[in-house]
Amino acid sequence: MKIESKIDVLEKRVAELERSNKSLYDQLRAMQLDMEEMMQTNILTSQRSSASTSQKVEYLTEVNEEMFQQNVRLREFIEDCIEAEVVPTRQQYYDMLRQDR
């Protein structure tokens, strides 16, 4: 009888371990699904950020080109004024900075 009670205890213990194992497996699977979802969200966020960065770079490149062109116009204007020995007015400077010149 002692052996039978030990077998019963072992069977109960095995059943408990199997339930515990299944519970751990289910929790692990849920965590894996959460991780996959987080990674997908991170990828989408990264793609949006990359597109936003690309737009910023494009905008800054355009602004940089515009400023370069302004500097070229001002340099040429100042050189012309030096050659003609003329002192430019404030309005003439503003006119040179305008893009539609």
Side-chain angles (χ1 to χ4, degrees):
M1 185 103 156
K2 224 172 191 201
I3 292 177
E4 288 179 6
S5 67
K6 287 183 180 181
I7 290 174
D8 286 341
V9 169
L10 288 175
E11 286 176 347
K12 287 179 184 177
R13 184 74 176 128
V14 167
E16 286 176 28
L17 289 173
E18 286 175 347
R19 281 192 299 275
S20 177
N21 187 30
K22 182 172 180 349
S23 174
L24 288 174
Y25 175 80
D26 291 343
Q27 290 175 0
L28 178 62
R29 184 66 187 140
M31 288 172 55
Q32 285 175 330
L33 291 173
D34 288 344
M35 286 291 292
E36 288 173 7
E37 182 179 331
M38 288 170 57
M39 288 175 63
Q40 189 67 11
T41 301
N42 190 21
I43 289 170
L44 291 174
T45 302
S46 176
Q47 289 172 344
R48 285 188 205 120
S49 175
S50 177
S52 175
T53 301
S54 176
Q55 289 173 341
K56 289 176 186 176
V57 168
E58 189 175 313
Y59 171 75
L60 290 174
T61 301
E62 290 174 10
V63 169
N64 186 42
E65 179 62 27
E66 183 179 325
M67 290 178 71
F68 177 78
Q69 293 302 323
Q70 284 180 341
N71 285 335
V72 168
R73 287 194 301 270
L74 280 175
R75 187 183 71 240
E76 291 173 351
F77 174 67
I78 292 169
E79 288 172 353
D80 291 344
C81 287
I82 291 172
E83 281 183 26
E85 297 180 0
V86 175
V87 177
T89 65
R90 182 180 295 176
Q91 185 61 44
Q92 288 173 316
Y93 275 115
Y94 288 143
D95 290 343
M96 283 290 118
L97 290 174
R98 285 196 346 236
Q99 192 172 8
D100 58 345
R101 181 178 178 269

